[in-house]
Amino acid sequence: MDLGLTGKVAVVTGASKGIGLGIAHAFAREGAHVVLTARTASAVEEAAGAIASEHGVTARAVASDVSTAEGCDAIIAAAAELGGADIFVSNAGTGSNETVLEASDEKWLDFWNLHVMAAVRLSRGLAPQMEAKGGGAMLMNASICAVQPLWYEPIYNTTKSALMMFAKCLSTELIPKGIRVNTVNPGLIRTPDWENTARELAGDNWEGYLQEVADEHAPIRRFGSVEELADFCVFLCSPRASYAVGSTHHVDGGMLKTI
Ligand code: NDP
């Protein structure tokens, strides 16, 4: 299936590793130019270089912190230099670990800025670029935890839930401009960070540990691969998914326990 993405410009935050890197590769494989962002300059530059040489597209690295207004401005400017964004994937994020009674205001606000304000600021800055090009697509990477919380990370659950609601509100506002906004809620996706955590917790039995996690949470009894999720995201951002607007899509191997 031709996804119609050749020559489009896709902005992917948190693209130096894990899911974001997989999504950036998947866009580039379809012929889209990509703006990759992360805080660590060396990592994001290396990722952009690999994508450009592997797929023959333009890959621009932006080293910035998306939880700040300046960090978002740098990304918006980079997209403009490439002729404007057609696609925006808000992916940068991380898990938390706390109790509500012990977590400081500062921690809540840090996660609010990372998971919600980054999407607010970037969509506000990138929407006019998309509108000028006749439309576009945005995808917020939240989490299954946005609707089915894990007990040990209330700040993660709450801010991802807010991101989902933000996407719904934004979708109604932007669809008259030809910009589709959707959310994806992944379940267990096997990233290098998951593997490192498993090694720390279980040593040589790290693969067994990951299997136990999958057995406990996902009826499919395995983690999803980054590529499985990335393909779904790229399709959703492509013109082939033109009637998908304001929806939340679970890619979780059956982990969600409700309908
Ligand atoms: P990783 O930790 O593997 O990668 C996170 C990426 O985001 C890195 O590129 C990191 O680079 C970047 N990043 C983190 N903080 C910032 C920041 N403040 N500004 C800019 N970039 C930042 O995460 P995953 O690939 O596992 O997760 C990606 C997204 O998917 C997250 O939003 C996560 O919540 C979500 N998700 C993941 C699941 C999973 O099972 N893996 C399941 C459900 C949702 P750097 O540190 O250099 O900034």
Side-chain angles (χ1 to χ4, degrees):
M1 191 193 294
D2 178 8
L3 295 183
L5 291 170
T6 307
K8 302 283 188 196
V9 174
V11 175
V12 185
T13 66
S16 64
K17 60 180 178 170
I19 293 168
L21 178 60
I23 292 173
H25 267 286
F27 275 122
R29 204 171 292 124
E30 296 298 321
H33 306 299
V34 281
V35 177
L36 295 87
T37 94
R39 287 166 302 179
T40 312
S42 56
V44 72
E45 281 161 13
E46 190 182 320
I51 285 180
S53 63
E54 193 174 323
H55 305 290
V57 298
T58 301
R60 185 73 52 87
V62 180
S64 78
D65 183 345
V66 292
S67 63
T68 67
E70 311 78 60
C72 292
D73 287 346
I75 296 165
I76 295 160
E81 279 171 25
L82 290 187
D86 301 282
I87 293 157
F88 164 45
V89 181
S90 189
N91 169 75
T94 194
S96 67
N97 194 332
E98 64 278 319
T99 62
V100 173
L101 293 190
E102 284 171 8
S104 64
D105 284 6
E106 193 185 8
K107 186 167 187 183
W108 279 96
L109 293 173
D110 284 351
F111 274 85
W112 178 258
N113 281 323
L114 174 60
H115 289 155
V116 185
M117 287 314 295
V120 172
R121 289 169 173 143
L122 286 166
S123 51
R124 206 165 49 199
L126 294 172
Q129 296 181 8
M130 293 183 189
E131 191 180 3
K133 296 176 86 174
M138 299 189 184
L139 182 63
M140 308 303 162
N141 183 5
S143 167
I144 189 170
C145 294
V147 294
Q148 182 171 282
L150 285 169
W151 65 269
Y152 57 83
E153 49 185 359
I155 297 184
Y156 183 77
N157 301 330
T158 304
T159 52
K160 288 292 191 173
S161 203
L163 174 62
M164 218 176 102
M165 178 55 86
F166 167 66
K168 184 64 186 167
C169 298
L170 185 67
S171 74
T172 308
E173 186 173 326
L174 293 189
I175 196 59
K177 301 177 191 299
I179 301 169
R180 295 181 304 108
V181 183
N182 287 287
T183 299
V184 66
N185 280 351
L188 301 169
I189 305 300
R190 187 160 167 161
T191 56
D193 264 25
W194 257 113
E195 294 181 354
N196 291 338
T197 303
R199 282 193 190 92
E200 278 165 26
L201 293 174
D204 286 347
N205 185 37
W206 65 275
E207 299 243 41
Y209 171 82
L210 289 178
Q211 188 59 53
E212 278 170 28
V213 173
D215 289 346
E216 184 185 345
H217 291 290
I220 200 170
R221 295 171 77 89
R222 66 174 178 82
F223 276 62
S225 70
V226 166
E227 290 73 22
E228 280 176 299
L229 176 60
D231 284 347
F232 189 93
C233 293
V234 167
F235 169 73
L236 208 48
C237 292
S238 80
R240 300 305 292 260
S242 47
Y243 207 59
V245 176
S247 301
T248 298
H249 303 264
H250 290 87
V251 182
D252 66 359
M255 186 169 168
L256 181 66
K257 291 188 173 64
T258 60
I259 54 169

